Amino acid sequence: MPTLKDAIHDIHQIAENTEWSKKLINGMTKNEWALHLVNLYNLHSYIESVNELNLSTDILRCARISNDISALKLKNLPPITKSSIDYVDYLKTIP
């Protein structure tokens, strides 16, 4: 039986070579980071709104993400991306 490392090796290599991964490692602009945070907030906001999940307070992220967004002190936040909206819409279809 292969180890977990062996089992995910190929997909891990692909993930490490995406433009996004390279930006995370090499740095990104303030606006790129804001875009990432705004989209994370969108996702976590929905997840945290699903009462049936009974989430532990340890994993609630919205307040922390909001603080990170505020710390950027941007005049205008980037809009939520269509892919983020589509993903939350998909999550809403899961019973």
Side-chain angles (χ1 to χ4, degrees):
M1 175 182 249
T3 65
L4 177 59
K5 181 179 178 180
D6 293 336
I8 66 167
H9 179 269
D10 292 344
I11 195 72
H12 183 78
Q13 292 294 24
I14 292 168
E16 278 189 341
N17 289 303
T18 64
E19 197 62 36
W20 175 249
S21 292
K22 290 175 185 175
K23 284 183 181 282
L24 280 175
I25 293 167
N26 298 324
M28 58 181 72
T29 68
K30 188 187 262 192
N31 286 333
E32 288 170 331
W33 186 242
L35 179 63
H36 171 67
L37 291 174
V38 165
N39 284 287
L40 269 182
Y41 185 88
N42 181 53
L43 172 63
H44 283 274
S45 178
Y46 172 70
I47 291 170
E48 291 179 21
S49 75
V50 180
N51 294 331
E52 298 82 31
L53 293 178
N54 263 339
L55 298 174
S56 163
T57 56
D58 297 352
I59 62 171
L60 298 178
R61 308 301 310 157
C62 282
R64 291 179 178 118
I65 295 169
S66 183
N67 289 340
D68 290 344
I69 291 169
S70 295
L72 293 173
K73 298 185 186 319
L74 295 174
K75 289 183 182 181
N76 298 304
L77 293 177
I80 299 168
T81 62
K82 181 178 180 332
S83 59
S84 178
I85 293 167
D86 290 347
Y87 187 64
V88 169
D89 287 344
Y90 163 73
L91 291 177
K92 291 175 182 178
T93 69
I94 299 173

Coordinates of all heavy atoms in Angstrom, one line a residue:
M1 N 0.8 -1.2 0.0 CA 0.0 0.0 0.0 C 0.9 1.2 0.0 O 1.8 1.4 0.8 CB -0.9 0.0 1.2 CG -1.7 1.2 1.4 SD -2.8 1.2 2.9 CE -4.4 1.0 2.1
P2 N 0.6 2.2 -0.9 CA 1.5 3.4 -1.0 C 1.2 4.3 0.2 O 0.1 4.3 0.8 CB 1.0 4.1 -2.3 CG -0.3 3.6 -2.5 CD -0.4 2.2 -2.0
T3 N 2.2 5.1 0.6 CA 2.1 6.1 1.6 C 1.2 7.2 1.1 O 1.0 7.4 -0.1 CB 3.4 6.6 2.1 OG1 4.0 7.4 1.0 CG2 4.4 5.5 2.5
L4 N 0.7 8.0 2.0 CA -0.1 9.2 1.6 C 0.7 10.1 0.7 O 0.3 10.6 -0.3 CB -0.6 9.9 2.8 CG -1.4 11.2 2.6 CD1 -2.6 10.9 1.7 CD2 -1.8 11.9 3.9
K5 N 2.0 10.3 1.1 CA 2.9 11.1 0.3 C 3.0 10.6 -1.1 O 2.9 11.4 -2.1 CB 4.3 11.1 0.9 CG 5.3 12.0 0.2 CD 6.6 12.0 0.9 CE 7.6 12.9 0.1 NZ 8.9 12.9 0.8
D6 N 3.1 9.3 -1.3 CA 3.2 8.7 -2.6 C 1.9 8.8 -3.4 O 1.9 9.1 -4.6 CB 3.6 7.2 -2.5 CG 5.1 7.0 -2.0 OD1 5.9 8.0 -2.2 OD2 5.3 5.9 -1.5
A7 N 0.8 8.6 -2.6 CA -0.5 8.6 -3.3 C -0.9 10.0 -3.8 O -1.5 10.1 -4.8 CB -1.6 8.2 -2.3
I8 N -0.4 11.1 -3.2 CA -0.8 12.4 -3.6 C 0.4 13.1 -4.4 O 0.2 14.3 -4.7 CB -1.3 13.3 -2.5 CG1 -0.1 13.6 -1.5 CG2 -2.5 12.7 -1.8 CD1 -0.4 14.6 -0.5
H9 N 1.4 12.4 -4.6 CA 2.6 13.1 -5.2 C 2.3 13.8 -6.5 O 2.7 15.0 -6.6 CB 3.7 12.0 -5.5 CG 4.9 12.6 -6.1 ND1 5.1 12.7 -7.5 CD2 6.0 13.2 -5.5 CE1 6.2 13.3 -7.7 NE2 6.8 13.6 -6.6
D10 N 1.7 13.2 -7.4 CA 1.4 13.8 -8.7 C 0.6 15.1 -8.6 O 0.9 16.1 -9.2 CB 0.8 12.8 -9.7 CG 1.8 11.7 -10.1 OD1 3.0 11.9 -9.9 OD2 1.3 10.7 -10.7
I11 N -0.5 15.0 -7.9 CA -1.4 16.1 -7.7 C -0.8 17.2 -6.9 O -1.0 18.4 -7.2 CB -2.8 15.7 -7.2 CG1 -3.8 16.8 -7.4 CG2 -2.7 15.3 -5.7 CD1 -4.3 17.0 -8.8
H12 N 0.1 16.8 -6.0 CA 0.8 17.8 -5.2 C 1.8 18.6 -6.0 O 1.9 19.8 -5.9 CB 1.5 17.1 -4.0 CG 2.2 18.0 -3.1 ND1 1.6 18.8 -2.1 CD2 3.6 18.4 -3.1 CE1 2.5 19.5 -1.5 NE2 3.7 19.3 -2.0
Q13 N 2.4 17.9 -6.9 CA 3.4 18.6 -7.9 C 2.6 19.6 -8.7 O 3.1 20.7 -9.0 CB 4.1 17.6 -8.7 CG 5.1 16.7 -8.0 CD 6.2 17.5 -7.4 OE1 6.2 18.7 -7.2 NE2 7.3 16.8 -7.2
I14 N 1.5 19.2 -9.2 CA 0.6 20.1 -10.1 C 0.2 21.3 -9.2 O 0.4 22.4 -9.7 CB -0.6 19.3 -10.6 CG1 -0.1 18.3 -11.6 CG2 -1.6 20.3 -11.2 CD1 -1.2 17.3 -12.0
A15 N -0.2 21.1 -8.0 CA -0.7 22.2 -7.2 C 0.5 23.1 -6.8 O 0.3 24.4 -6.8 CB -1.3 21.6 -5.9
E16 N 1.7 22.6 -6.6 CA 2.8 23.4 -6.3 C 3.2 24.3 -7.4 O 3.9 25.3 -7.2 CB 4.0 22.6 -5.8 CG 4.0 22.2 -4.4 CD 5.2 21.5 -4.0 OE1 6.0 21.1 -4.8 OE2 5.5 21.5 -2.7
N17 N 2.9 23.9 -8.6 CA 3.3 24.7 -9.8 C 2.3 25.6 -10.4 O 2.4 26.2 -11.5 CB 3.8 23.7 -10.9 CG 5.2 23.1 -10.4 OD1 6.1 23.9 -10.2 ND2 5.2 21.8 -10.4
T18 N 1.2 25.8 -9.6 CA 0.1 26.7 -10.1 C 0.6 28.1 -9.9 O 1.5 28.4 -9.0 CB -1.2 26.5 -9.4 OG1 -1.0 26.8 -8.0 CG2 -1.8 25.1 -9.6
E19 N 0.1 29.1 -10.6 CA 0.4 30.5 -10.4 C 0.1 30.9 -9.0 O 0.9 31.7 -8.4 CB -0.4 31.3 -11.5 CG 0.2 32.7 -11.6 CD 1.6 32.7 -12.2 OE1 2.0 31.9 -13.0 OE2 2.4 33.6 -11.8
W20 N -1.0 30.4 -8.5 CA -1.4 30.8 -7.1 C -0.4 30.4 -6.1 O 0.0 31.1 -5.2 CB -2.8 30.2 -6.8 CG -3.2 30.5 -5.4 CD1 -3.3 29.6 -4.4 CD2 -3.5 31.7 -4.8 NE1 -3.7 30.2 -3.2 CE2 -3.8 31.5 -3.4 CE3 -3.5 33.0 -5.3 CZ2 -4.1 32.6 -2.6 CZ3 -3.9 34.1 -4.4 CH2 -4.1 33.8 -3.1
S21 N 0.1 29.1 -6.2 CA 1.1 28.6 -5.2 C 2.4 29.4 -5.3 O 3.0 29.7 -4.3 CB 1.4 27.1 -5.5 OG 0.3 26.4 -5.2
K22 N 2.8 29.8 -6.5 CA 4.0 30.6 -6.7 C 3.8 31.9 -6.0 O 4.8 32.4 -5.4 CB 4.3 30.7 -8.2 CG 4.7 29.4 -8.8 CD 5.0 29.5 -10.3 CE 5.3 28.2 -10.9 NZ 5.4 28.3 -12.4
K23 N 2.6 32.5 -6.2 CA 2.4 33.8 -5.5 C 2.4 33.7 -4.0 O 3.0 34.6 -3.3 CB 1.1 34.4 -6.0 CG 1.1 35.0 -7.4 CD -0.2 35.6 -7.7 CE -0.2 36.2 -9.1 NZ 0.4 37.5 -9.2
L24 N 1.9 32.6 -3.5 CA 1.9 32.4 -2.0 C 3.3 32.3 -1.5 O 3.7 32.8 -0.4 CB 1.1 31.2 -1.6 CG -0.4 31.3 -1.6 CD1 -1.0 30.0 -1.3 CD2 -0.8 32.3 -0.5
I25 N 4.2 31.7 -2.3 CA 5.6 31.5 -1.8 C 6.4 32.7 -2.1 O 7.2 33.1 -1.2 CB 6.2 30.2 -2.6 CG1 5.4 29.0 -2.1 CG2 7.7 30.1 -2.3 CD1 5.7 27.7 -2.9
N26 N 6.2 33.3 -3.2 CA 7.1 34.4 -3.6 C 6.6 35.8 -3.2 O 7.3 36.8 -3.4 CB 7.3 34.4 -5.1 CG 8.0 33.1 -5.6 OD1 8.9 32.6 -4.9 ND2 7.6 32.6 -6.7
G27 N 5.3 35.9 -2.8 CA 4.7 37.1 -2.4 C 3.7 37.6 -3.4 O 3.8 37.3 -4.6
M28 N 2.8 38.5 -2.9 CA 1.8 39.0 -3.8 C 1.6 40.5 -3.4 O 2.0 40.9 -2.3 CB 0.6 38.2 -3.8 CG -0.1 38.0 -2.5 SD -1.6 37.0 -2.5 CE -0.9 35.4 -2.8
T29 N 0.9 41.2 -4.3 CA 0.6 42.6 -4.0 C -0.5 42.7 -2.9 O -1.2 41.7 -2.6 CB 0.1 43.3 -5.2 OG1 -1.2 42.8 -5.6 CG2 1.1 43.2 -6.4
K30 N -0.6 43.8 -2.3 CA -1.7 44.1 -1.3 C -3.1 43.8 -1.9 O -3.9 43.2 -1.3 CB -1.6 45.5 -0.8 CG -2.5 45.8 0.4 CD -2.4 47.3 0.7 CE -1.5 47.6 1.8 NZ -1.7 48.9 2.3
N31 N -3.3 44.2 -3.2 CA -4.6 44.0 -3.8 C -4.8 42.5 -4.1 O -5.9 42.0 -4.0 CB -4.7 44.8 -5.1 CG -4.9 46.3 -4.8 OD1 -5.4 46.6 -3.7 ND2 -4.5 47.1 -5.7
E32 N -3.8 41.8 -4.5 CA -3.9 40.3 -4.7 C -4.3 39.6 -3.3 O -5.2 38.8 -3.3 CB -2.7 39.7 -5.3 CG -2.4 40.1 -6.7 CD -1.1 39.7 -7.2 OE1 -0.1 39.6 -6.4 OE2 -1.0 39.4 -8.4
W33 N -3.6 40.0 -2.3 CA -3.9 39.5 -1.0 C -5.3 39.8 -0.5 O -6.1 39.0 0.0 CB -2.9 39.9 0.1 CG -3.0 39.3 1.4 CD1 -3.3 39.9 2.6 CD2 -2.9 37.9 1.7 NE1 -3.4 38.9 3.6 CE2 -3.2 37.7 3.1 CE3 -2.7 36.8 0.9 CZ2 -3.1 36.5 3.7 CZ3 -2.6 35.5 1.5 CH2 -2.8 35.4 2.9
A34 N -5.8 41.1 -0.8 CA -7.1 41.5 -0.5 C -8.1 40.6 -1.2 O -9.2 40.2 -0.7 CB -7.3 43.0 -0.8
L35 N -7.9 40.4 -2.5 CA -8.8 39.6 -3.3 C -8.9 38.2 -2.7 O -10.0 37.6 -2.6 CB -8.3 39.5 -4.7 CG -9.1 38.6 -5.7 CD1 -10.5 39.2 -5.9 CD2 -8.4 38.5 -7.0
H36 N -7.8 37.6 -2.3 CA -7.8 36.3 -1.6 C -8.6 36.3 -0.4 O -9.5 35.5 -0.1 CB -6.3 35.9 -1.3 CG -6.2 34.7 -0.5 ND1 -6.6 33.4 -0.9 CD2 -5.7 34.5 0.8 CE1 -6.4 32.5 0.0 NE2 -5.9 33.2 1.1
L37 N -8.4 37.3 0.5 CA -9.1 37.4 1.7 C -10.6 37.6 1.5 O -11.4 37.0 2.2 CB -8.5 38.5 2.6 CG -7.1 38.3 3.2 CD1 -6.6 39.6 3.9 CD2 -7.1 37.1 4.1
V38 N -11.0 38.5 0.6 CA -12.4 38.7 0.3 C -13.1 37.4 -0.1 O -14.2 37.1 0.3 CB -12.6 39.8 -0.8 CG1 -13.9 39.9 -1.4 CG2 -12.2 41.2 -0.2
N39 N -12.4 36.6 -0.9 CA -13.0 35.4 -1.4 C -13.1 34.3 -0.3 O -14.0 33.6 -0.2 CB -12.3 34.9 -2.6 CG -12.7 35.7 -3.8 OD1 -13.8 35.5 -4.4 ND2 -11.8 36.6 -4.3
L40 N -12.0 34.3 0.6 CA -12.1 33.4 1.7 C -13.2 33.8 2.7 O -13.9 32.9 3.2 CB -10.8 33.5 2.5 CG -9.6 32.6 2.2 CD1 -8.5 32.8 3.1 CD2 -10.0 31.2 2.2
Y41 N -13.4 35.1 2.8 CA -14.5 35.6 3.7 C -15.8 35.1 3.2 O -16.7 34.6 3.9 CB -14.4 37.1 3.9 CG -15.5 37.6 4.9 CD1 -15.2 37.6 6.2 CD2 -16.8 37.9 4.5 CE1 -16.1 38.0 7.1 CE2 -17.7 38.3 5.4 CZ -17.4 38.4 6.7 OH -18.3 38.8 7.6
N42 N -16.0 35.2 1.9 CA -17.3 34.8 1.2 C -17.5 33.3 1.5 O -18.6 33.0 1.9 CB -17.2 35.1 -0.3 CG -18.4 34.7 -1.0 OD1 -19.5 35.1 -0.7 ND2 -18.3 33.9 -2.0
L43 N -16.5 32.5 1.3 CA -16.7 31.1 1.6 C -17.0 30.8 3.1 O -17.9 30.1 3.4 CB -15.4 30.3 1.1 CG -15.3 28.9 1.5 CD1 -16.4 28.1 0.8 CD2 -14.0 28.3 1.1
H44 N -16.1 31.3 3.9 CA -16.3 31.0 5.3 C -17.6 31.6 5.9 O -18.2 31.0 6.8 CB -15.1 31.5 6.1 CG -13.9 30.6 6.0 ND1 -13.7 29.5 6.8 CD2 -12.9 30.6 5.1 CE1 -12.6 28.9 6.4 NE2 -12.1 29.6 5.4
S45 N -18.0 32.7 5.4 CA -19.3 33.3 5.8 C -20.5 32.3 5.6 O -21.3 32.1 6.4 CB -19.5 34.6 5.1 OG -20.8 35.2 5.4
Y46 N -20.5 31.7 4.4 CA -21.5 30.7 4.1 C -21.4 29.5 5.1 O -22.3 29.1 5.7 CB -21.5 30.3 2.7 CG -22.5 29.1 2.5 CD1 -23.9 29.4 2.6 CD2 -22.0 27.8 2.4 CE1 -24.8 28.3 2.6 CE2 -22.9 26.8 2.3 CZ -24.3 27.0 2.4 OH -25.2 26.0 2.3
I47 N -20.2 29.0 5.1 CA -20.0 27.8 6.0 C -20.4 28.1 7.4 O -21.1 27.2 8.0 CB -18.5 27.3 5.9 CG1 -18.2 26.8 4.5 CG2 -18.2 26.3 7.0 CD1 -16.7 26.5 4.2
E48 N -20.0 29.2 7.9 CA -20.4 29.5 9.3 C -21.9 29.8 9.5 O -22.4 29.7 10.6 CB -19.6 30.7 9.8 CG -18.1 30.4 10.0 CD -17.3 31.5 10.4 OE1 -17.8 32.5 11.0 OE2 -16.0 31.5 10.2
S49 N -22.6 30.1 8.4 CA -24.0 30.3 8.5 C -24.8 29.0 8.5 O -26.0 29.1 8.8 CB -24.5 31.2 7.4 OG -24.5 30.5 6.2
V50 N -24.2 27.9 8.2 CA -25.0 26.7 8.2 C -25.0 26.1 9.6 O -24.1 25.5 10.1 CB -24.3 25.7 7.2 CG1 -25.1 24.3 7.2 CG2 -24.2 26.2 5.8
N51 N -26.1 26.4 10.3 CA -26.2 26.0 11.7 C -26.1 24.5 12.0 O -25.6 24.1 13.0 CB -27.6 26.5 12.3 CG -27.7 28.0 12.3 OD1 -26.7 28.7 12.4 ND2 -28.9 28.5 12.1
E52 N -26.5 23.7 11.0 CA -26.4 22.2 11.3 C -25.0 21.7 11.4 O -24.8 20.6 11.9 CB -27.1 21.5 10.1 CG -28.6 21.8 9.9 CD -28.8 23.1 9.2 OE1 -28.0 23.4 8.3 OE2 -29.8 23.7 9.4
L53 N -24.0 22.5 11.0 CA -22.6 22.0 11.1 C -22.1 22.0 12.5 O -21.1 21.3 12.8 CB -21.7 22.9 10.2 CG -22.0 22.8 8.7 CD1 -21.1 23.7 7.9 CD2 -21.8 21.3 8.2
N54 N -22.7 22.8 13.4 CA -22.2 22.8 14.8 C -20.7 23.1 14.9 O -20.0 22.3 15.5 CB -22.6 21.6 15.5 CG -23.9 21.7 16.3 OD1 -24.3 22.8 16.7 ND2 -24.5 20.6 16.7
L55 N -20.3 24.1 14.3 CA -18.8 24.3 14.2 C -18.2 24.7 15.5 O -18.8 25.5 16.3 CB -18.5 25.5 13.2 CG -19.0 25.2 11.8 CD1 -18.8 26.4 10.9 CD2 -18.2 24.0 11.2
S56 N -17.1 24.2 15.8 CA -16.3 24.6 17.0 C -15.9 26.1 16.8 O -15.5 26.5 15.7 CB -15.1 23.7 17.2 OG -14.2 24.3 18.0
T57 N -15.9 26.8 17.9 CA -15.4 28.2 17.8 C -13.9 28.3 17.4 O -13.5 29.3 16.9 CB -15.6 28.9 19.2 OG1 -14.9 28.2 20.2 CG2 -17.1 29.1 19.5
D58 N -13.2 27.2 17.6 CA -11.8 27.2 17.2 C -11.6 27.4 15.7 O -10.6 27.8 15.2 CB -11.1 25.8 17.5 CG -11.1 25.6 19.0 OD1 -11.4 26.5 19.8 OD2 -10.7 24.5 19.4
I59 N -12.6 27.0 14.9 CA -12.4 27.1 13.4 C -13.2 28.2 12.8 O -13.2 28.3 11.5 CB -12.7 25.7 12.7 CG1 -14.2 25.3 12.9 CG2 -11.8 24.6 13.2 CD1 -14.6 24.1 12.1
L60 N -13.9 29.0 13.5 CA -14.6 30.1 13.0 C -13.6 31.1 12.5 O -12.7 31.6 13.2 CB -15.6 30.7 14.0 CG -16.7 29.8 14.5 CD1 -17.5 30.5 15.6 CD2 -17.5 29.3 13.4
R61 N -13.6 31.5 11.2 CA -12.6 32.3 10.6 C -13.1 33.7 10.2 O -12.2 34.6 10.0 CB -12.1 31.6 9.4 CG -11.6 30.2 9.5 CD -10.6 29.9 10.5 NE -9.4 30.8 10.4 CZ -8.5 31.0 11.4 NH1 -8.7 30.5 12.5 NH2 -7.5 31.8 11.2
C62 N -14.4 34.0 10.1 CA -14.8 35.3 9.5 C -14.3 36.5 10.3 O -13.8 37.4 9.6 CB -16.3 35.3 9.5 SG -17.0 34.4 8.1
A63 N -14.3 36.4 11.6 CA -13.9 37.6 12.3 C -12.4 37.8 12.1 O -12.0 39.0 11.9 CB -14.1 37.4 13.8
R64 N -11.6 36.8 12.0 CA -10.2 36.9 11.8 C -9.9 37.4 10.4 O -9.0 38.3 10.2 CB -9.5 35.6 12.1 CG -9.5 35.2 13.6 CD -8.8 33.9 13.8 NE -8.8 33.6 15.2 CZ -9.3 32.6 15.7 NH1 -10.0 31.7 15.0 NH2 -9.3 32.3 17.0
I65 N -10.6 36.9 9.4 CA -10.4 37.3 8.0 C -10.8 38.8 7.9 O -10.1 39.6 7.3 CB -11.2 36.4 7.1 CG1 -10.6 35.0 7.1 CG2 -11.1 37.0 5.7 CD1 -11.5 34.0 6.4
S66 N -11.9 39.1 8.6 CA -12.3 40.5 8.5 C -11.3 41.5 9.1 O -11.0 42.6 8.6 CB -13.7 40.7 9.3 OG -14.1 42.0 9.2
N67 N -10.7 41.0 10.2 CA -9.6 41.8 10.8 C -8.4 42.0 9.9 O -7.8 43.1 9.8 CB -9.1 41.2 12.1 CG -10.1 41.4 13.2 OD1 -11.0 42.2 13.2 ND2 -10.0 40.5 14.2
D68 N -8.1 40.9 9.2 CA -7.0 41.0 8.2 C -7.3 41.9 7.1 O -6.4 42.7 6.6 CB -6.7 39.6 7.7 CG -6.0 38.7 8.7 OD1 -5.5 39.2 9.7 OD2 -6.0 37.4 8.4
I69 N -8.6 41.9 6.6 CA -9.0 42.8 5.5 C -8.9 44.2 6.0 O -8.3 45.1 5.3 CB -10.4 42.4 5.0 CG1 -10.4 41.1 4.3 CG2 -11.0 43.5 4.1 CD1 -11.8 40.5 4.0
S70 N -9.4 44.5 7.2 CA -9.3 45.9 7.7 C -7.9 46.4 7.9 O -7.6 47.5 7.6 CB -10.0 45.9 9.1 OG -11.4 45.7 9.0
A71 N -7.0 45.5 8.3 CA -5.6 45.9 8.5 C -4.9 46.3 7.2 O -3.9 47.1 7.2 CB -4.8 44.7 9.1
L72 N -5.5 45.9 6.0 CA -4.9 46.3 4.8 C -5.2 47.8 4.5 O -4.5 48.4 3.7 CB -5.4 45.5 3.6 CG -5.0 44.0 3.6 CD1 -5.8 43.2 2.6 CD2 -3.5 43.9 3.5
K73 N -6.2 48.4 5.1 CA -6.5 49.8 5.0 C -6.7 50.2 3.5 O -6.2 51.3 3.1 CB -5.5 50.7 5.7 CG -5.4 50.4 7.2 CD -4.4 51.4 7.8 CE -4.2 51.1 9.3 NZ -5.1 50.8 10.2
L74 N -7.4 49.4 2.8 CA -7.7 49.7 1.4 C -8.9 50.6 1.3 O -9.9 50.4 2.0 CB -7.9 48.5 0.6 CG -6.6 47.6 0.4 CD1 -7.0 46.3 -0.3 CD2 -5.5 48.3 -0.3
K75 N -8.9 51.6 0.4 CA -10.1 52.4 0.2 C -11.2 51.6 -0.4 O -12.4 51.7 0.0 CB -9.8 53.6 -0.8 CG -8.9 54.6 -0.2 CD -8.7 55.8 -1.1 CE -7.8 56.8 -0.5 NZ -7.5 57.9 -1.3
N76 N -10.9 50.7 -1.4 CA -11.9 49.9 -2.0 C -11.5 48.4 -2.0 O -10.3 48.2 -2.4 CB -12.2 50.3 -3.5 CG -12.7 51.7 -3.5 OD1 -13.7 52.0 -2.9 ND2 -12.0 52.6 -4.2
L77 N -12.3 47.6 -1.7 CA -12.0 46.1 -1.7 C -12.3 45.6 -3.1 O -13.2 46.0 -3.8 CB -12.8 45.4 -0.7 CG -12.5 45.7 0.8 CD1 -13.4 44.9 1.7 CD2 -11.1 45.4 1.1
P78 N -11.5 44.6 -3.5 CA -11.8 43.9 -4.8 C -13.2 43.2 -4.7 O -13.6 42.7 -3.6 CB -10.7 43.0 -5.0 CG -10.1 42.8 -3.6 CD -10.4 44.0 -2.8
P79 N -13.8 43.0 -5.8 CA -15.1 42.3 -5.7 C -14.8 40.8 -5.6 O -13.8 40.2 -5.9 CB -15.7 42.6 -7.1 CG -14.5 42.8 -8.0 CD -13.5 43.5 -7.1
I80 N -15.8 40.1 -5.0 CA -15.8 38.6 -4.9 C -15.8 38.1 -6.4 O -16.5 38.5 -7.2 CB -17.0 38.1 -4.2 CG1 -17.0 38.7 -2.7 CG2 -17.0 36.6 -4.1 CD1 -18.3 38.4 -2.0
T81 N -14.9 37.1 -6.6 CA -14.8 36.5 -7.9 C -16.0 35.6 -8.2 O -16.7 35.1 -7.3 CB -13.5 35.7 -8.1 OG1 -13.6 34.6 -7.2 CG2 -12.3 36.5 -7.9
K82 N -16.3 35.5 -9.5 CA -17.4 34.6 -10.0 C -17.1 33.2 -9.5 O -18.1 32.5 -9.1 CB -17.5 34.7 -11.5 CG -18.7 33.8 -12.0 CD -18.8 33.9 -13.5 CE -20.0 33.1 -14.0 NZ -20.4 31.9 -13.4
S83 N -15.9 32.7 -9.5 CA -15.6 31.3 -9.1 C -15.9 31.1 -7.7 O -16.4 30.1 -7.3 CB -14.2 30.9 -9.4 OG -13.3 31.8 -8.8
S84 N -15.7 32.1 -6.8 CA -16.0 32.0 -5.4 C -17.5 32.0 -5.2 O -18.1 31.2 -4.4 CB -15.4 33.2 -4.7 OG -15.8 33.2 -3.3
I85 N -18.2 32.9 -5.9 CA -19.7 32.9 -5.8 C -20.3 31.5 -6.3 O -21.1 31.0 -5.7 CB -20.3 34.0 -6.7 CG1 -19.9 35.4 -6.0 CG2 -21.8 33.9 -6.8 CD1 -20.1 36.6 -6.9
D86 N -19.7 31.0 -7.4 CA -20.2 29.8 -8.0 C -19.9 28.6 -7.0 O -20.8 27.7 -6.8 CB -19.5 29.5 -9.3 CG -20.0 30.4 -10.4 OD1 -21.0 31.1 -10.3 OD2 -19.3 30.3 -11.5
Y87 N -18.8 28.7 -6.3 CA -18.5 27.6 -5.3 C -19.4 27.6 -4.2 O -19.9 26.6 -3.7 CB -17.0 27.7 -4.9 CG -16.6 26.5 -4.0 CD1 -16.6 25.2 -4.6 CD2 -16.3 26.6 -2.7 CE1 -16.3 24.1 -3.8 CE2 -16.0 25.6 -1.9 CZ -15.9 24.3 -2.5 OH -15.6 23.2 -1.7
V88 N -19.7 28.8 -3.6 CA -20.7 28.9 -2.5 C -22.1 28.4 -3.0 O -22.8 27.7 -2.3 CB -20.7 30.3 -1.9 CG1 -21.9 30.5 -1.0 CG2 -19.4 30.6 -1.2
D89 N -22.4 28.8 -4.2 CA -23.7 28.3 -4.8 C -23.8 26.8 -4.9 O -24.8 26.2 -4.6 CB -24.0 28.9 -6.2 CG -24.3 30.4 -6.1 OD1 -24.7 30.9 -5.0 OD2 -24.3 31.1 -7.2
Y90 N -22.6 26.2 -5.3 CA -22.5 24.8 -5.3 C -22.7 24.2 -3.9 O -23.4 23.2 -3.7 CB -21.2 24.3 -5.9 CG -20.9 22.9 -5.6 CD1 -21.5 21.9 -6.2 CD2 -19.9 22.6 -4.6 CE1 -21.2 20.5 -5.9 CE2 -19.6 21.3 -4.3 CZ -20.3 20.3 -5.0 OH -20.0 19.0 -4.6
L91 N -22.0 24.8 -2.9 CA -22.1 24.3 -1.5 C -23.6 24.3 -1.0 O -24.0 23.4 -0.3 CB -21.2 25.1 -0.6 CG -19.8 24.9 -0.8 CD1 -19.0 25.9 0.2 CD2 -19.3 23.5 -0.6
K92 N -24.3 25.3 -1.5 CA -25.7 25.4 -1.1 C -26.6 24.3 -1.6 O -27.7 24.0 -1.1 CB -26.3 26.7 -1.5 CG -25.7 27.9 -0.8 CD -26.2 29.2 -1.3 CE -25.6 30.4 -0.6 NZ -26.0 31.7 -1.2
T93 N -26.1 23.6 -2.6 CA -26.9 22.4 -3.2 C -26.6 21.1 -2.4 O -27.3 20.2 -2.6 CB -26.6 22.2 -4.7 OG1 -25.2 21.7 -4.8 CG2 -26.8 23.5 -5.4
I94 N -25.6 21.1 -1.6 CA -25.3 19.9 -0.9 C -26.2 19.7 0.3 O -26.3 20.6 1.2 CB -23.8 19.9 -0.4 CG1 -22.9 20.0 -1.6 CG2 -23.5 18.7 0.5 CD1 -21.4 20.2 -1.2
P95 N -27.0 18.6 0.4 CA -27.9 18.4 1.5 C -27.3 18.3 2.8 O -26.2 17.9 3.0 CB -28.7 17.2 1.1 CG -28.1 16.7 -0.2 CD -27.0 17.6 -0.6

